[in-house]
Amino acid sequence: MADAPSPQEPIRPHRRRFYWPGGLSARLLILTALFVAFGGLLVVPPALAAFEEQWLLERVRAAEMAALAADVARGRVTLQHRTQLLRAAGIERVATQDADGVRRLVLGGGRALRNPYVVDLREQAAGSWLAAPFRTLTAPDDASVRVLAEPRQMQVEFIEVVAPHASLKAELQNYLGRLLLIVAFVSGTAGVFVYFTLNFFLVRPMQRITRAMERFRADPEDPAAHVELSGRRDEIGRAEVELDRMQADLRAALSSRARLAALGEAVAKINHDLRNMLTSAQIASERLAALDDPKVSQALPRLERALDRAVKLASDVLTYGKTEEPPPEARPLPLLPALEMAAEDARLSDQGVRLVAEVDPADQVRADPDQLHRILTNLMRNAREAIEAQEGRAEPGRVRITLAEQEGISRIRVEDNGPGLSDRARQRLFEPFAGSSRPGGAGLGLAIARELAEKHGGSLTLAETGPSGTAFELQLPGAPGRLRAPRRRPAARANGD
């Protein structure tokens, strides 16, 4: 995640290389006009090529008719008549070539052509066909165009016509102007229709969603921040539905967070008084223990257990209510002494639920001593309470601890022979205030233990559970080895043996 800019460093605005409107509507209008105009301009080259081809074919057919008339009136056609025929056809000369390759000038004078260029209408490639109009528009005004075409009326191989370039260029320029006006009108009209259609179906719904998101960010409780569902089944409708669900989930999360914050503040306020009351109760229980009264002796253990549970519950709630646990200060430490201290705090004993530590005294793990103690204590205490709560139990309770090292990971396995976890308890096992399987439990022990394990870079998972017991696996990174040379691992070690 990128670091946020510090208050001392002002945020520099992004410099645009060219002006670009910020609104989606303005951008859509500009892009629509540009794309539609570009599509219209693609029609211009073939339209110009077709116009020029038709213009030249008309001159060829007129020249062919004039040539036929001259052949019919052979010998009786004067120079004036020839000039009139050429002017009526709009050409300067007509020539033919027969199958034997003999060329013959039918009409026209002997004036030399200036800057002529050839257009062969018999076999014309697509590229040259499209480029012909632009060559005509760029040629000098005094140029001449020689057209080669197949005849329709005359029995010759091809007919050659020389037409004035200026007339073709003027006609082509006029047609190009009219064509550009038509393209501009069609592009503008189509662009407006496309713009308003896209604006209605896309831009306006996106603007409505954007305004709802901005208002929700400013004030989640604002009724105007609720997005109105349009009922559409496309991506816009799905975005509206997902935004509505997200807003509902966030409102619920914010409400729950506010309640938890209020609860944490209230607990913090009563913490001092609660501890004083519990201290007074413990002092009173110690005085009662000094009395030689059978009834008091009978009721005192239950009172002490109730006080212990109250102290543990208050401590767990306050500990979990902290904003963040301190980072662990991991270092190599012997595992067996840590297990024995955690077992003592978890009230494991030989007379009740006992600890079976199958760990060599030289085995070490890398962890924060205090946080590892809290993890192990929570796991052992949960195991003891589950075993003690099991009715009709005949087998002695035990908590078995083993250590394995694999690929630089220390795996501590905590097993018990209790009744196992129910399906309901497994579903929300590590959730605070929800994962307890015992009546009256807060469900914070495993949540705290898992959080501490993850801060070490490791994990705490449920390995297995069933009628024969439950096993948790604590993984800690780093396997620092042993304190001294390996010894023969004992079969079992119980505290107090």
Side-chain angles (χ1 to χ4, degrees):
M1 184 175 182
D3 296 335
S6 61
Q8 292 79 10
E9 299 178 358
I11 300 177
R12 298 179 180 178
H14 177 68
R15 294 182 179 180
R16 297 177 178 177
R17 297 182 179 179
F18 56 91
Y19 176 74
W20 185 244
L24 186 59
S25 298
R27 294 184 180 183
L28 178 62
L29 178 59
I30 294 175
L31 291 176
T32 302
L34 290 177
F35 285 133
V36 176
F38 177 74
L41 291 176
L42 294 178
V43 184
V44 172
L48 289 177
F51 177 82
E52 179 176 306
E53 182 181 26
Q54 184 62 32
W55 191 91
L56 294 176
L57 284 175
E58 290 177 359
R59 297 301 178 273
V60 170
R61 301 307 169 213
E64 189 176 0
M65 296 300 296
L68 287 174
D71 286 342
V72 171
R74 181 178 304 174
R76 298 191 300 270
V77 180
T78 64
L79 179 61
Q80 182 181 2
H81 290 159
R82 291 174 180 272
T83 303
Q84 290 177 352
L85 288 174
L86 292 174
R87 186 178 302 170
I91 57 178
E92 294 180 353
R93 70 178 60 178
V94 180
T96 60
Q97 179 175 318
D98 56 19
D100 296 332
V102 178
R103 295 174 63 86
R104 184 172 66 93
L105 179 63
V106 180
L107 292 173
R111 184 176 62 87
L113 301 178
R114 300 183 60 183
N115 301 321
Y117 62 92
V118 180
V119 176
D120 192 347
L121 299 180
R122 294 172 299 175
E123 296 179 359
Q124 197 171 15
S128 60
W129 180 71
L130 292 174
F134 299 98
R135 182 177 55 181
T136 302
L137 292 173
T138 57
D141 293 338
D142 59 347
S144 300
V145 53
R146 296 175 57 191
V147 185
L148 305 179
E150 295 180 356
R152 288 185 178 180
Q153 305 295 333
M154 303 177 67
Q155 300 298 324
V156 293
E157 183 179 357
F158 67 86
I159 183 172
E160 177 182 339
V161 177
V162 177
H165 165 76
S167 300
L168 174 59
K169 184 176 182 180
E171 292 286 344
L172 202 60
Q173 288 175 343
N174 292 333
Y175 180 75
L176 177 60
R178 296 194 303 270
L179 186 62
L180 290 178
L181 290 177
I182 294 174
V183 169
F185 174 76
V186 173
S187 300
T189 305
V192 169
F193 279 110
V194 171
Y195 165 72
F196 281 109
T197 302
L198 294 179
N199 189 69
F200 178 77
F201 285 102
L202 294 178
V203 178
R204 291 178 60 185
M206 290 301 299
Q207 289 175 342
R208 187 175 66 254
I209 293 175
T210 303
R211 286 193 297 269
M213 295 172 64
E214 293 173 346
R215 291 180 178 178
F216 183 81
R217 180 181 179 274
D219 183 10
E221 301 299 332
D222 185 6
H226 176 72
V227 60
E228 296 293 337
L229 301 181
S230 61
R232 296 170 55 169
R233 297 184 179 181
D234 54 7
E235 286 75 6
I236 296 294
R238 291 165 55 189
E240 293 173 348
V241 172
E242 293 301 323
L243 178 59
D244 182 66
R245 293 177 178 174
M246 183 191 69
Q247 288 179 340
D249 294 342
L250 285 178
R251 286 192 180 98
L254 290 174
S255 177
S256 176
R257 182 177 180 180
R259 290 195 299 269
L260 289 176
L263 175 62
E265 184 178 357
V267 170
K269 290 180 179 179
I270 66 174
N271 178 43
H272 180 70
D273 294 337
L274 178 61
R275 287 183 178 275
N276 290 339
M277 289 185 287
L278 292 175
T279 302
S280 301
Q282 286 178 333
I283 294 174
S285 65
E286 292 176 358
R287 293 179 179 178
L288 289 175
L291 299 178
D292 188 12
D293 190 336
K295 294 183 178 180
V296 173
S297 301
Q298 183 179 2
L300 190 58
R302 288 183 295 174
L303 177 60
E304 290 178 346
R305 286 194 298 269
L307 290 174
D308 290 341
R309 284 196 298 268
V311 172
K312 175 183 175 299
L313 176 60
S315 300
D316 287 347
V317 172
L318 291 175
T319 301
Y320 189 79
K322 293 180 180 179
T323 55
E324 186 177 0
E325 291 284 349
E329 298 179 0
R331 62 175 184 269
L333 56 93
L335 179 59
L336 186 58
L339 295 176
E340 293 174 346
M341 288 188 293
E344 183 178 354
D345 288 349
R347 296 176 61 182
L348 301 186
S349 63
D350 295 337
Q351 291 73 27
V353 180
R354 65 192 186 97
L355 171 67
V356 179
E358 298 182 0
V359 177
D360 193 280
D363 287 335
Q364 296 185 99
V365 294
R366 186 175 184 84
D368 184 287
D370 294 335
Q371 295 187 7
L372 178 62
H373 178 79
R374 292 170 59 187
I375 297 173
L376 297 174
T377 302
N378 281 322
L379 294 175
M380 294 181 186
R381 184 187 295 114
N382 288 346
R384 176 184 61 79
E385 292 175 349
I387 293 173
E388 291 178 348
Q390 187 177 11
E391 298 181 356
R393 181 182 182 86
E395 181 184 2
R398 61 169 176 80
V399 177
R400 178 173 171 264
I401 310 292
T402 59
L403 173 65
E405 297 178 2
Q406 182 180 3
E407 298 180 356
I409 301 295
S410 298
R411 303 175 184 271
I412 303 175
R413 188 178 178 91
V414 181
E415 303 179 5
D416 64 59
N417 59 347
L421 297 174
S422 63
D423 294 338
R424 180 179 179 183
R426 286 199 301 269
Q427 292 175 359
R428 310 179 66 179
L429 187 60
F430 293 97
E431 295 184 19
F433 303 105
S436 177
S437 59
R438 297 177 291 101
L444 289 174
L446 289 178
I448 295 173
R450 187 178 201 178
E451 180 181 354
L452 295 176
E454 291 175 350
K455 283 187 173 294
H456 280 77
S459 63
L460 177 64
T461 57
L462 175 65
E464 59 179 297
T465 185
S468 60
T470 302
F472 287 90
E473 185 174 280
L474 171 63
Q475 297 186 13
L476 297 174
R482 295 168 172 266
L483 290 173
R484 50 184 179 272
R487 297 182 178 179
R488 183 176 58 86
R489 183 184 296 273
R493 179 181 178 90
N495 59 329
D497 291 348

